[in-house]
Amino acid sequence: MVSGANDSNTPAIVSLAAGGVAGGIEAFTSYPMEFAKTRVQLRSQKGIPTPRNPFLVVTQVYQKEGLRALYKGCGALVVGSIAKDGVRFLFFDQIKLAFADPTTGTLSPGRNLLAGMTAGVVASITAVTPTERIKTALIDDARNEKRFRSGIHATRTIWAEHGILGLYRGFAGTTLKQASATAFRMGTYNILKDYETKRNIPQNTATNFANGSVAGVVTTLCTQPFDVIKTRSQSAKGTSTAEAVKSVLIDYGVIGFWKGTTMRLGRTVFSGGILFTSYEAAVKVINPLYSGVKHKVGIEAEA
């Protein structure tokens, strides 16, 4: 049995807290790459084409608007990532218990992917779709009308104009992306850890980072079309999933569904390593604290 994300002995509250911490750290440190990827995927403004090179997007925005502009919408993503990864790790750990082999306590590769997919759907419904909607709308609005003053203001405006459904624009694309991304990311990571554990390969920071990075590459290449559709659906004005698909085909053809792959690949390799390394580290810190508090409460209750 491996530790951390693959440890059935990790208490639910620890999985939730550690996942939230890891998600917040990952979102903040990798946000400029997420910003550039989103800008590239959005439709170009008339007369102001968006550079195809996402690194050029970062450079241009930094030169014209400063570092702060590269973090437009970051607050919404960090909040969403804390909730998303808290829920994702919590449900993945709990779902694994139901899917695990009763004799060995381990999961087959197929069950690993199924557990990740289920956790991804739950995360999309509870946290990801509305926060991704706000993040994308803020990034799009910053280059057009500039009517959103903050994430909270954008939330209130979208709610007032479209109701709760406005916050769930792009739900289909987001859920497909989350289900497949979580399946590939969590599944690949745990498959690698199971493989290493059987061969007595030590689990340390370097191994965790490498496993997370490999999981990030697999995730990006397999789920990029869903990410592009999600971004188009969640622009400032919003659009349906069908309209988003149509606009991508009109603008770029089939290859357009892999728009922003370079930057997202860079981000997921980096963020995948950061996410799982942070999670493993957070579990090691939070678990003893939780056990200590639980033990103290038990003693006081007996007294």
Side-chain angles (χ1 to χ4, degrees):
M1 184 66 65
V2 293
S3 63
N6 201 34
D7 191 348
S8 61
N9 295 319
T10 302
I13 187 65
V14 175
S15 293
L16 180 65
V21 170
I25 293 173
E26 176 266 326
F28 183 80
T29 54
S30 65
Y31 191 75
M33 288 184 278
E34 173 68 17
F35 175 92
K37 183 265 306 179
T38 302
R39 272 280 183 97
V40 168
Q41 291 175 340
L42 288 165
R43 300 199 83 167
S44 298
Q45 297 168 273
K46 291 183 179 180
I48 312 176
T50 301
R52 293 186 178 184
N53 185 338
F55 295 99
L56 186 56
V57 172
V58 172
T59 302
Q60 288 185 351
V61 172
Y62 176 73
Q63 291 175 342
K64 294 178 181 179
E65 304 172 56
L67 180 62
R68 186 175 180 180
L70 291 174
Y71 276 85
K72 190 74 173 179
C74 182
L77 185 68
V78 169
V79 171
S81 293
I82 290 173
K84 172 190 72 177
D85 287 307
V87 169
R88 189 158 62 177
F89 276 104
L90 168 64
F91 276 90
F92 186 71
D93 280 347
Q94 299 308 305
I95 291 167
K96 281 192 307 168
L97 295 179
F99 289 176
D101 184 294
T103 304
T104 63
T106 60
L107 282 81
S108 66
R111 289 189 176 189
N112 255 312
L113 293 176
L114 184 59
M117 187 177 294
T118 306
V121 172
V122 175
S124 177
I125 296 171
T126 57
V128 180
T129 300
T131 53
E132 281 283 332
R133 165 69 163 128
I134 298 303
K135 177 215 73 177
T136 305
L138 282 167
I139 291 175
D140 189 28
D141 178 72
R143 63 181 191 147
N144 292 302
E145 300 179 19
K146 295 182 172 62
R147 65 184 186 130
F148 297 148
R149 295 191 296 272
S150 65
I152 294 177
H153 180 247
T155 303
R156 289 175 178 170
T157 302
I158 293 172
W159 181 284
E161 294 177 353
H162 306 288
I164 191 171
L165 292 179
L167 295 175
Y168 275 83
R169 280 283 191 181
F171 175 73
T174 302
T175 302
L176 285 170
K177 177 200 167 187
Q178 282 302 123
S180 56
T182 305
F184 283 112
R185 175 174 275 194
M186 305 291 278
T188 301
Y189 182 79
N190 279 274
I191 288 170
L192 289 171
K193 288 195 72 173
D194 286 341
Y195 176 85
E196 292 160 355
T197 301
K198 291 176 182 177
R199 288 157 181 77
N200 296 317
I201 298 174
Q203 296 296 304
N204 51 40
T205 300
T207 307
N208 292 334
F209 194 96
N211 289 346
S213 296
V214 171
V217 173
V218 173
T219 300
T220 299
L221 297 178
C222 294
T223 65
Q224 187 64 16
F226 298 136
D227 190 61
V228 174
I229 294 169
K230 173 196 73 67
T231 297
R232 286 292 179 96
S233 298
Q234 296 178 330
S235 59
K237 293 182 179 180
T239 185
S240 68
T241 299
E243 290 171 337
V245 172
K246 182 179 178 180
S247 71
V248 173
L249 289 172
I250 290 173
D251 289 348
Y252 306 108
V254 175
I255 197 172
F257 289 109
W258 275 267
K259 197 77 172 172
T261 298
T262 301
M263 188 56 78
R264 185 171 174 236
L265 189 59
R267 178 178 181 260
T268 49
V269 169
F270 175 69
S271 66
I274 291 291
L275 178 67
F276 286 105
T277 302
S278 298
Y279 177 78
E280 301 285 1
V283 167
K284 291 178 181 178
V285 172
I286 297 172
N287 213 356
L289 294 175
Y290 172 74
S291 298
V293 171
K294 187 176 179 181
H295 179 67
K296 183 178 179 180
V297 170
I299 293 177
E300 291 177 349
E302 291 177 1

